[in-house]
Amino acid sequence: MLIHGASGRMGRALLRLAADRSDLVVVAAVSSRGDSLAEAGAVPVLPATRLAEVPAFDVAVDFSLPGAFDPLLALCLARGVALVSGTTGLAPAQTAALDAAAARIPVLWAPNFSAGVAVLAELVRQAATALPGWDADVVEAHHIHKKDAPSGTALHLGAAVEAGKGQAPHYASLRAGDIVGEHTVQLSGPGERLELVHRATNRDIFARGALEAALRLAGRAPGRYDFGALLLGKAG
Ligand code: NAD
C-alpha cells in the first residue's frame, strides 16, 4: 500500500492506524515536501517530486489536494494498481479522468469514508423520494482549515436528495474551530421539518474506512467501486 498526502491530518492518521494492523504493509508514503514524519516509523517518506520512484505497491490511498491528484492517478495507471481516494474538491476533468481510468484499474473515490454517512445517504434518498414537494437544504460545518465548500460529503448528500426528489438542494457551509465534520439534511414542509444529521467527532473513522476499502479493492477487476457497497459486501 502507498499513502499519498502523508503529512496532512488524514495522512498522519492513516500512517498511525496502518502501523497497528498486521493485515497490511505500507511500502512508502508521499507528501508534498517529503519531510520526516513521526507517524511514518520505518516507512520511507518521499517528496512529490519523486513519486515515480516509489517501490511496487498494490493500492494507493490518497488524501491530498486536487493539485496533487493527477500525477498519482497517472502512476496508478502506469503500474496497473488500485486507487482509493478521499481527496475532495476535484475538478470535473479530474472526475472524468477517474471514470476513464476505471476501464483499466479498480478505483474508488468517496467524499466520506464513514459507515454512518454511507447509511445516511440512503436514508436521505428515501426521505426525499417520499417528500418531493418539500424544500431541501444541506447544511455542513467543518474546521477552519478546510479549503473546499460545500464539502464533498454535502455534495454527495445533495446528489441523494436529487436522486429522490428530482431537484438539487440548497447548500450552506460553516468553517469554524476544529469541527471534524457535521452534515444536516433538512427537509421543510408546511408546518413541519425533518432533519437527518451526522456528526463525526474523530477523523480516525475516515482513515479506518479508507484502509478497509483499500484492503478490499486491491487485486479486484478494473471498475469504479462504491464505498458503501464495498463496505457492506455488495460490490461485485
Ligand atoms: P491537509 O491540508 O492536512 O493535508 C493535505 C496533504 O496533501 C498535505 O500533507 C500535503 O503535504 C499533501 N500534498 C499537497 N500536495 C501534494 C503533492 N503534490 N503530493 C503529495 N502530497 C501532497 O488536509 P486533510 O485534512 O488531511 O485532508 C486531505 C484531503 O482529504 C482534503 O481534500 C479533504 O477534504 C479530504 N478529506 C476527505 C475525507 C473523506 O472521508 N473522504 C475525510 C477528511 C478529509
Side-chain angles (χ1 to χ4, degrees):
M1 178 180 295
L2 172 74
I3 294 190
H4 187 253
S7 60
R9 286 171 286 265
M10 284 300 300
R12 293 195 311 268
L14 286 163
L15 284 167
R16 178 169 44 75
L17 292 171
D20 285 342
R21 295 184 66 145
S22 55
D23 53 350
L24 57 85
V25 178
V26 179
V27 298
V30 175
S31 70
S32 43
R33 294 206 311 266
D35 297 339
S36 66
L37 294 167
E39 292 85 352
V43 174
V45 183
L46 278 75
T49 48
R50 293 178 54 202
L51 180 63
E53 297 170 32
V54 295
F57 63 97
D58 57 359
V59 55
V61 181
D62 165 57
F63 283 82
S64 58
L65 298 173
F69 181 80
D70 296 352
L72 178 65
L73 181 60
L75 179 77
C76 290
L77 279 166
R79 303 250 185 127
V81 295
L83 171 62
V84 169
S85 176
T87 298
T88 62
L90 296 180
Q94 293 178 306
T95 307
L98 203 56
D99 279 333
R104 291 167 50 199
I105 57 171
V107 296
L108 190 167
W109 178 88
N112 192 302
F113 280 90
S114 90
V117 166
V119 173
L120 175 63
E122 177 54 26
L123 295 175
V124 166
R125 194 190 56 75
Q126 285 177 21
T129 304
L131 304 167
W134 289 25
D135 292 336
D137 296 271
V138 179
V139 184
E140 56 101 349
H142 281 88
H143 55 85
I144 199 84
H145 304 291
K146 184 166 176 63
K147 298 196 170 67
D148 52 318
S151 69
T153 302
L155 295 170
H156 178 60
L157 295 172
V161 168
E162 199 165 351
K165 74 196 276 289
Q167 211 180 0
H170 293 112
Y171 295 96
S173 301
L174 205 75
R175 296 287 173 264
D178 61 357
I179 301 170
V180 174
E182 299 186 358
H183 293 85
T184 301
V185 177
Q186 179 173 294
L187 297 168
S188 309
E192 57 182 328
R193 194 165 80 222
L194 173 64
E195 291 181 352
L196 295 162
V197 186
H198 180 268
R199 292 191 182 90
T201 52
N202 186 324
R203 62 176 46 82
D204 280 5
I205 58 167
F206 308 126
R208 220 173 272 126
L211 291 178
E212 198 56 50
L215 276 174
R216 294 179 189 213
L217 195 67
R220 287 203 179 232
R224 187 86 193 251
Y225 289 80
D226 176 74
F227 173 65
L230 200 65
L231 193 72
L232 301 171
K234 291 183 183 166

